[in-house]
């Protein structure tokens, strides 16, 4: 799911969470059927609440209520809201305690409450919100009332945390309830009204729809919410300085600004995933969640500095432990935000605050990593230092700098023109991403710089591997204009290898005696550079080349079982296929393991950029082929049709590429949960059985990859790209 939980979060929450869980263990369920307001136009199972800021008209007690913005009417009916907040606290606390202890007594207690609210016909709530925030004499309910169910988000997150410990039949029924509620939220006029609200209400609609869509596996709706965040919420609600003018002009500008920021940060937490990093998303004019947190942070750290109006009510109750600082601190590795968050009130008591705080239990908003990230990261750092020492120990040779493998017992370094030269710089960037340590950033910059000369090398298709894994990985983290320029120029160079008659980029210029216009499945990986160049420049010619190449490859490279040929040779005169064959596979009709991995990864990536469902379907079919051919330990032999069975060498690089690709695919596909669990299993297998002990392997992380078995080259050795995709899978396992 989401990024790794910072240790600080766990430390700060342990005590309050366990105390609240103790309280939650003693609570009996209370649902909407336990109380009823005579002013409700709904039935016993309908949630009812009243508009906060509406008051009797002093002119006559029977007239419709009148508005006093920011001032809550204490006579309102609030029992249903209180019951829902209580449910949210109960499940949030129990989920958090389960996360900390693994004790299933917390799960059993949560199930009682959940059953009463969503399953038992005597006590359940209807999955709609027709009677929320009614106003006496004016409305029996309003779209604005939908904000009341943000409380249910912690219920679904708590249940997700409990995972397989919950009764699966009950879980399916609860999911069915939320699926029905989502239909109502997205189709009823009140739902549409709330979706279109220009302020925090519009934000909270997206936030809760995203949470429920994720819970029910509705990937289309998750994508809709991502688009809404990128194209509507952020551009329309945020000012250039990171503030929210719609909230600043309210009578409670401080509380509402915090509330809206928390809701936006929660959207980023929920919806960020591999290829969908909302944390780092910014509009063309520079608005981003980081800017929003940056704007409010000083006033959270020190409220006396707040230069705007003070809130008419509840001014003293804010700030509390705002989740924007916890989630943002984790996502950006910002220790100052986390420190301030740790010092704030973690168990706020003010009614208004409780109602308006969208997330009270941050622990359950982080996914459980399949491997011990801290340990694996520390080992990877130690190994990379060994590798750097191994590099220093090699005799100096001009232009040769990037570690590729071990050959004849020696570390093999390559020059930038080698197809694998970009992986090591990319790994250094990923270590920086994992640790936020400047030393890794400095090294990443140092090893990325010599790659620049490749931007004009039009002699091969490997531009994406070389430039995107180095400069592209760096650019994602730094957004540096100079990196961007290198990427754009590289895309221009790569485009020169495209032949419109054939509809493909030419892969190789070597071995002209064997083929005329060879296109290899690996070439699909280089399209990411082109898609990104179109995003950077708005020049759609790169995009068109990428989709044409992907479409031609989809037509000619795949067999009916969705395994792929390695090489397809084209006729440059007719544009037709001349021959389908292999180069690194067991034979022409075999399924070379890494080739299948490239296809899976690349069609998933093509879907990310195009949202063309044919690419998604292609990736799902390739995944089905791979999943049905993996050996028990989930790491393939070098070719799925290799004749020697268990005596064949493995290819850990193929496993790492597949794991990384499956993590991304899991965010797009209705089969996402299944893909994620296979990716987890692959990551665990690689971590537990394919890693070299720290200090060995000349500093490479993984053992047992195979480069080109037929030519007896790089068989059962470490390979830099295995390590690169392993680290990427590790990051993606946390949705980074
Ligand atoms: N792209 C070359 C390989 O996968 O071996």
């Amino acid at each position: 799911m989401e990024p790794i939980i910072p240790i600080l979060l766990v430390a700060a929450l342990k005590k309050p969470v366990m105390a609240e869980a103790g309280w939650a263990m003693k609570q009996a369920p209370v649902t909407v059927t336990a109380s009823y307001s005579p002013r409700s136009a709904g039935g016993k199972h309908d949630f009812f609440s009243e508009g906060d800021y509406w008051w009797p008209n002093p002119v006559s007690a029977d007239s419709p209520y009148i508005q006093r913005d920011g001032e809550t009417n204490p006579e309102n009916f609030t029992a249903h809201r209180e019951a829902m907040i209580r449910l949210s606290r109960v499940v949030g606390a129990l989920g958090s305690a389960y996360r900390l202890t693994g004790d299933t007594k917390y799960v059993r207690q949560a199930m009682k409450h959940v059953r009463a609210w969503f399953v038992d016909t005597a006590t359940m709530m209807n999955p709609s919100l027709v009677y929320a925030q009614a106003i006496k004499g004016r409305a029996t309910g309003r779209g604005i009332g939908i904000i009341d169910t943000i409380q249910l988000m912690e219920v679904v997150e708590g249940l997700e945390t409990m995972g397989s410990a919950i009764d699966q039949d009950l879980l399916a029924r609860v999911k069915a309830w939320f699926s029905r509620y989502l239909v109502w939220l997205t189709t009823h006029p009140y739902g549409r009204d709330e979706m279109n609200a220009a302020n925090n209400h519009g934000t909270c609609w997206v936030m809760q729809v995203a949470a429920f869509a994720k819970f029910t596996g509705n990937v289309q709706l998750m994508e809709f919410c991502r688009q809404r965040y990128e194209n509507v919420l952020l551009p329309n609600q945020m000012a250039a300085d990171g503030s929210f003018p719609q909230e600043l002009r309210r009578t409670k500008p401080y509380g509402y600004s915090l509330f809206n920021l928390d809701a936006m940060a929660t959207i980023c937490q929920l919806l960020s995933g591999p290829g969908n990093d909302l944390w780092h998303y910014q509009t063309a004019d520079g608005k981003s969640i980081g800017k929003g947190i940056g704007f409010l942070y000083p006033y959270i750290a020190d409220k006396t500095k707040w230069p705007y109006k003070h809130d008419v009510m509840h001014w003293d109750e804010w700030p509390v432990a705002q989740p924007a600082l916890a989630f943002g601190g984790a996502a950006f590795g910002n220790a100052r935000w986390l420190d301030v968050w740790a010092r704030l009130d973690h168990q706020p008591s003010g009614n208004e605050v409780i109602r308006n705080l969208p997330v009270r239990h941050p622990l359950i908003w982080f996914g459980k990593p399949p491997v011990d990230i801290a340990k694996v990261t520390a080992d990877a750092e130690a190994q990379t230092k060994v590798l750097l020492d191994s590099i220093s120990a090699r005799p100096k040779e001009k232009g040769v700098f990037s570690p590729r493998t071990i050959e004849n017992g020696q570390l093999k370094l390559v020059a930038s023109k080698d197809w694998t030269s970009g992986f090591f710089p990319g790994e250094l960037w990923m270590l920086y991403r994992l640790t936020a340590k400047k030393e890794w950033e400095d090294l990443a910059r140092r090893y990325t710089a010599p790659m620049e000369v490749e931007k004009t090398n039009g002699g091969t298709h490997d531009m994406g591997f070389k430039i995107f894994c180095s400069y592209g990985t760096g650019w994602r983290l730094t957004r540096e204009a100079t990196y961007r320029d290198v990427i754009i120029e590289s895309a221009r160079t790569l485009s020169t290898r495209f032949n419109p008659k054939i509809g493909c980029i030419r892969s190789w210029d070597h071995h002209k005696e064997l083929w005329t216009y060879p296109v290899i499945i690996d070439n699909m990986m280089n399209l990411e550079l082109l898609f990104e160049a179109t995003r950077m420049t708005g020049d759609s010619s790169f995009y068109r080349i990428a989709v044409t190449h992907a479409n031609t490859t989809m037509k000619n490279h795949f067999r009916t079982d969705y395994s792929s040929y390695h090489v397809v040779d084209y006729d440059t005169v007719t544009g037709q296929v001349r021959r389908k064959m292999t180069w690194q596979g067991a034979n022409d009709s075999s399924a070379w393991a890494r080739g299948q991995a490239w296809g899976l990864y690349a069609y998933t990536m093509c879907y990310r950029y195009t949202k063309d469902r044919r690419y998604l379907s292609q990736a799902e079919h390739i995944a089905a082929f791979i999943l049905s051919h993996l050996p028990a330990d989930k790491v393939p032999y070098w070719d799925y049709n290799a004749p020697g069975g268990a005596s064949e060498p493995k290819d850990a690089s193929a496993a790492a590429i597949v794991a990384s690709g499956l993590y991304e695919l899991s965010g797009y596909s209705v089969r996402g949960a299944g893909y994620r669990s296979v990716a987890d299993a692959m990551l665990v297998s690689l971590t537990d059985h394919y890693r070299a002990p720290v200090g060995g392997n000349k500093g490479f992380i993984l053992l047992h990859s195979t480069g080109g078995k037929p030519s007896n080259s790089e068989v059962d050795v470490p390979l830099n790209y295995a390590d690169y995709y392993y680290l990427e899978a590790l990051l993606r396992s946390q949705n980074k």
Side-chain angles (χ1 to χ4, degrees):
M1 289 205 302
E2 297 79 12
I4 185 169
I5 307 184
I7 293 174
L8 190 70
L9 235 83
V10 179
L13 290 171
K14 218 170 195 153
K15 239 171 105 183
V17 157
M18 293 315 290
E20 199 185 17
W23 163 83
M25 284 302 285
K26 295 194 212 105
Q27 305 306 307
V30 176
T31 77
V32 291
T33 56
S35 53
Y36 187 76
S37 165
R39 290 190 294 278
S40 170
K44 186 168 172 269
H45 295 274
D46 288 310
F47 178 95
F48 177 69
S49 68
E50 293 183 290
D52 293 82
Y53 307 141
W54 294 83
W55 295 72
N57 188 338
V59 176
S60 140
D62 284 339
S63 332
Y65 276 14
I66 54 167
Q67 190 177 25
R68 280 155 59 180
D69 187 31
E71 296 178 51
T72 302
N73 178 353
E75 303 299 323
N76 282 344
F77 177 83
T78 54
H80 287 175
R81 264 189 192 161
E82 277 155 23
M84 194 177 274
I85 290 168
R86 188 168 163 278
L87 168 75
S88 161
R89 284 188 59 202
V90 165
V91 183
L94 295 172
S96 303
Y98 177 69
R99 160 57 61 84
L100 291 175
T101 63
D103 190 334
T104 51
K105 75 178 179 197
Y106 299 115
V107 179
R108 287 193 298 278
Q109 171 71 355
M111 289 194 319
K112 279 190 217 157
H113 288 258
V114 167
R115 197 184 295 280
W117 272 87
F118 307 110
V119 178
D120 275 355
T121 48
T123 52
M124 71 181 280
M125 173 184 156
N126 286 334
S128 56
L129 221 63
V130 185
Y131 307 103
Q133 299 220 12
I135 305 171
K136 184 171 171 264
R138 292 183 188 269
T140 53
R142 291 177 301 158
I144 256 187
I146 285 172
I147 207 160
D148 286 0
T149 51
I150 62 171
Q151 308 300 335
L152 295 181
M153 295 191 311
E154 288 191 90
V155 176
V156 303
E157 291 298 316
L159 293 179
E160 292 211 62
T161 301
M162 295 173 184
S164 57
I166 308 174
D167 171 346
Q168 295 300 298
D169 175 58
L170 174 65
L171 187 62
R173 285 156 178 258
V174 178
K175 286 189 178 176
W177 189 98
F178 277 95
S179 295
R180 285 173 65 199
Y181 186 41
L182 274 177
V183 170
W184 185 86
L185 281 170
T186 50
T187 54
H188 191 277
Y190 288 175
R192 308 301 293 184
D193 282 354
E194 188 71 342
M195 178 182 97
N196 290 317
N199 63 4
N200 66 78
H201 280 269
T203 315
C204 284
W205 184 92
V206 172
M207 172 175 70
Q208 53 180 317
V209 168
F212 306 155
K214 193 168 176 183
F215 179 57
T216 55
N218 189 334
V219 286
Q220 283 91 351
L221 209 42
M222 286 169 72
E223 183 54 27
F224 176 81
C225 289
R226 278 188 200 106
Q227 302 287 333
R228 197 89 199 149
Y229 170 79
E230 292 181 0
N231 304 327
V232 179
L233 301 179
L234 197 58
N236 295 355
Q237 291 196 35
M238 191 177 276
D241 63 357
S243 68
F244 299 120
Q246 321 271 15
E247 310 304 337
L248 283 180
R249 74 168 72 96
R250 300 291 296 270
T251 57
K252 293 194 287 199
Y254 187 66
Y256 275 117
S257 293
L258 289 173
F259 179 59
N260 202 39
L261 181 70
D262 284 340
M264 284 208 190
T266 303
I267 292 171
C268 295
Q269 182 78 356
L270 277 166
L271 295 179
S272 291
N276 284 309
D277 187 354
L278 295 190
W279 289 109
H280 287 89
Y281 173 80
Q282 63 175 53
T283 60
D285 55 354
K287 297 170 187 173
S288 68
I289 189 69
K291 199 160 213 182
I293 302 175
F295 175 81
L296 279 178
Y297 164 76
Y299 313 125
I300 303 176
D302 180 359
K303 191 167 66 167
T304 62
K305 295 210 166 80
W306 181 245
Y308 304 91
K309 274 186 309 213
H310 288 194
D311 296 6
V312 292
M313 268 181 98
H314 307 296
W315 166 252
D316 292 334
E317 290 168 27
W318 299 103
V320 295
Q322 309 296 149
L325 291 187
F327 294 160
F332 293 108
N334 188 318
R336 281 181 315 143
W337 294 352
L338 287 172
D339 279 343
V340 166
W341 171 85
R343 282 190 267 118
L344 293 162
D345 183 0
H346 293 281
Q347 281 202 309
S349 52
N351 236 350
E352 182 89 358
V353 174
I354 289 209
R355 192 166 91 67
N356 281 348
L357 193 64
V359 175
R360 262 174 251 98
H361 301 95
L363 283 182
I364 57 175
W365 290 75
F366 289 86
K368 192 164 183 277
V371 296
D372 182 344
I373 308 270
K375 165 102 177 70
V376 173
T377 302
D379 287 355
E381 287 187 272
Q383 264 309 70
T384 307
K385 284 182 183 152
V386 173
L387 188 51
L388 288 162
D389 289 344
S390 308
I391 295 170
S392 305
R394 291 292 296 157
K396 300 276 165 291
E397 204 185 321
K398 198 169 172 312
V400 166
F401 69 100
S402 188
R404 170 170 170 151
T405 183
I406 299 175
E407 194 176 66
N408 302 325
Q410 300 286 336
L411 175 69
K412 179 174 177 179
L413 299 177
V414 294
S416 64
K417 69 174 196 293
D418 186 278
W419 82 273
T420 69
S421 56
F423 293 117
F424 183 63
E427 281 179 64
L428 295 169
W429 283 115
M430 287 192 276
L431 285 177
Y432 173 48
R433 181 93 205 257
L434 282 159
T435 63
K437 287 185 190 160
K438 187 155 181 332
E439 59 178 299
W440 294 119
E441 183 191 0
D442 292 345
L443 280 160
R445 286 180 188 280
R446 175 132 54 91
Y447 276 85
T448 295
M451 298 301 303
E452 183 174 348
V453 291
E454 292 305 309
K455 70 186 180 187
T456 51
N457 175 2
T460 156
H461 73 124
D462 287 317
M463 191 68 99
F465 285 122
K466 291 189 286 188
I467 293 296
F468 210 68
C469 295
S470 56
Y471 274 92
T473 311
W475 179 77
R476 284 200 189 103
L477 287 174
T478 62
R479 300 286 172 195
E480 268 183 32
T482 50
Y483 280 31
R484 184 177 167 270
D485 295 345
V486 171
I487 292 167
I488 294 167
E489 178 147 11
S490 304
R492 282 202 193 98
T493 305
L494 180 59
S495 301
T496 62
R497 296 184 66 81
F498 178 71
N499 179 329
K501 176 92 192 162
I502 290 167
C504 274
I505 294 163
R506 180 185 179 121
S507 296
W508 293 325
D509 291 349
H510 58 73
H511 289 91
K512 291 200 166 75
E513 73 287 4
L514 289 177
W515 37 58
T516 303
Y517 192 98
V519 178
I520 64 174
I521 187 67
D522 326 27
N523 201 332
M524 286 293 305
M525 295 293 285
N526 296 308
L527 305 184
E528 188 167 3
L529 173 78
L530 297 178
F531 283 125
E532 202 56 59
T534 287
R535 272 201 181 165
M536 289 168 165
T537 58
D539 176 352
S540 60
S541 62
F542 305 120
Y543 182 101
R544 283 200 304 276
I545 291 175
V547 295
T548 308
H549 183 102
N551 293 342
T552 308
T553 302
M554 202 151 70
K555 190 161 131 229
N556 296 327
H557 255 85
F558 289 87
R559 310 184 183 102
T560 49
D561 64 357
Y562 290 91
S563 68
S564 66
Y565 292 93
H566 184 196
V567 188
V568 174
D569 186 26
Y570 290 91
D571 186 312
T572 48
V573 179
T574 64
Q576 297 303 305
V577 172
R578 291 182 70 224
R579 201 179 150 195
K580 300 184 181 188
M581 55 201 290
T582 197
W583 179 244
Q584 279 152 280
N587 57 62
D588 286 348
S589 54
S590 75
W592 173 50
R594 197 162 51 256
Q596 315 314 304
W598 294 139
L600 168 79
Y601 187 111
Y603 277 100
T604 306
M605 174 271 293
C606 288
Y607 178 70
R608 181 205 313 159
Y609 285 98
T610 61
K611 296 295 174 245
D612 183 335
R613 300 193 68 78
R614 289 176 311 146
Y615 299 148
L616 177 61
S617 160
Q618 185 74 9
E620 289 173 332
H621 280 117
I622 302 170
F625 177 87
I626 294 174
L627 265 49
S628 63
H629 285 78
L630 283 175
D633 77 348
K634 304 274 185 267
V635 177
Y637 299 99
W638 67 281
D639 190 301
Y640 290 108
N641 303 103
S647 67
E648 296 283 355
K650 291 272 183 137
D651 183 16
S653 80
I657 298 158
V658 169
S660 187
L662 284 177
Y663 278 126
E664 175 164 15
L665 186 58
S666 73
Y668 307 140
S669 169
V670 289
R671 298 182 188 84
Y675 294 146
R676 178 166 275 273
S677 72
V678 176
D680 285 351
M682 293 179 107
L683 194 59
V684 169
S685 182
L686 289 172
T687 302
D688 292 351
H689 305 297
Y690 288 79
R691 275 190 316 156
V694 171
N697 212 22
K698 301 237 179 276
F700 289 101
I701 299 169
L702 293 181
L703 302 153
H704 307 314
S705 289
T706 295
K709 174 77 171 44
S711 56
N712 201 22
S713 133
E714 302 180 328
V715 178
D716 195 14
V717 291
L719 287 168
N720 59 6
Y721 43 96
D723 290 1
Y724 174 94
Y725 289 101
Y726 173 74
L727 289 183
E728 189 181 72
L730 194 67
L731 280 161
R732 288 182 168 191
S733 73
Q734 309 155 58
N735 269 358
K736 282 198 171 178

